[in-house]
Structures are given as C-alpha cells and as structure tokens.
Amino acid sequence: MKKVEPNSIEAVILFILYICLQDGKITDKEVKELAITAPVLQKMYLDIFGEFIHLDLDRIINETFDFLLPQQEVFSNKKITAVEQDLFCSLLTDETTQDIALLASRNAAGADGLHKFENSKYQYWAGRWHAV
C-alpha cells in the first residue's frame, strides 16, 4: 500500500475498514457495502473538493484490506491506542472528510449488524471529531 495522503479517499477507506475490523473480522457483507458506497464517496469528493477521483476503488479497498489484516491486533483493541490516535488524527484532519468517513464507516460496519466494539470505536471518533 502506498503512502496515504491526509484527507484522501484512501484515508477514508482505511478508516472505514478499521471500524469494520473492530469485531475481529471484516465480513464479505461489509466489503460489499463499502464497494457499493465507493461511487458515492467519489461523488462526495467531487461535490465538496471539486476533484474527481480517477482511481480504481476496488483495488484501493483490497490493498487497504491487505494492509490492515496482518495488523489486526494493533488496530482492534477495546481501547483506543496511541497508534490509532496518531494515525487517524493525521490522516483525517478536515471536518468534512471526517464526517464522510464516519458516515460511510457506520454504514459499512452495520452491513452485518453493528457490533458493540465497532460502535464503541465509532462513538469515540464521532465524539472526538464533534460529530455527535
């Protein structure tokens, strides 16, 4: 996986899969929901930032999935770690991007039923980013 730029669509996809991972797995339903949501993410970026994302979103989703899975223990703890805080505070700095990431992550994680650990991390970030 290449370097992820702050507030990029890659950063949003990383956050979405990170929330989905909190119950210990990223299910096919969650990945399918993210794939369905991906064109909406592209449209949001066009509407908000005025740029069309010419990327293969399926490839980005797969690369991000492959990046996260071996690090599952680092990213799926009951408590928010310094690694998580540092990563997502540096990658999602724009309020609008944070809102997009939160909305899409709740949607994808809820595809197979929002697990209490997924909801817990979602609530943490929503509170930190003043989205609740």
Side-chain angles (χ1 to χ4, degrees):
M1 186 172 158
K2 67 179 179 121
K3 184 178 184 311
V4 177
E5 296 296 322
N7 302 310
S8 65
I9 199 160
E10 293 94 338
V12 171
I13 290 171
L14 179 61
F15 182 81
I16 294 166
L17 290 175
Y18 152 79
I19 293 294
C20 291
L21 183 63
Q22 296 312 305
D23 62 355
K25 60 191 172 300
I26 299 173
T27 66
D28 289 340
K29 287 182 181 180
E30 290 169 328
V31 172
K32 282 182 184 178
E33 187 62 34
L34 177 52
I36 290 167
T37 305
V40 175
L41 295 175
Q42 272 183 317
K43 174 92 169 82
M44 288 175 144
Y45 266 79
L46 177 62
D47 291 347
I48 294 166
F49 298 111
E51 67 177 279
F52 184 75
I53 308 298
H54 295 287
L55 299 172
D56 180 352
L57 294 180
D58 288 334
R59 181 184 53 76
I60 293 170
I61 292 167
N62 289 329
E63 285 178 2
T64 306
F65 180 85
D66 291 343
F67 167 78
L68 273 178
L69 217 49
Q71 301 181 66
Q72 181 172 345
E73 290 181 21
V74 174
F75 288 107
S76 62
N77 298 296
K78 289 182 183 178
K79 294 184 179 183
I80 302 287
T81 65
V83 171
E84 292 168 80
Q85 288 180 13
D86 291 346
L87 178 64
F88 292 112
C89 286
S90 67
L91 287 180
L92 298 170
T93 60
D94 176 78
E95 285 183 25
T96 303
T97 308
Q98 292 166 351
D99 289 345
I100 292 169
L102 286 167
L103 177 67
S105 67
R106 187 161 178 96
N107 188 45
D112 64 351
L114 191 63
H115 188 276
K116 66 181 180 180
F117 295 147
E118 292 169 332
N119 189 49
S120 176
K121 292 278 179 99
Y122 170 85
Q123 292 299 329
Y124 170 83
W125 289 106
R128 179 163 183 147
W129 292 330
H130 311 291
V132 286

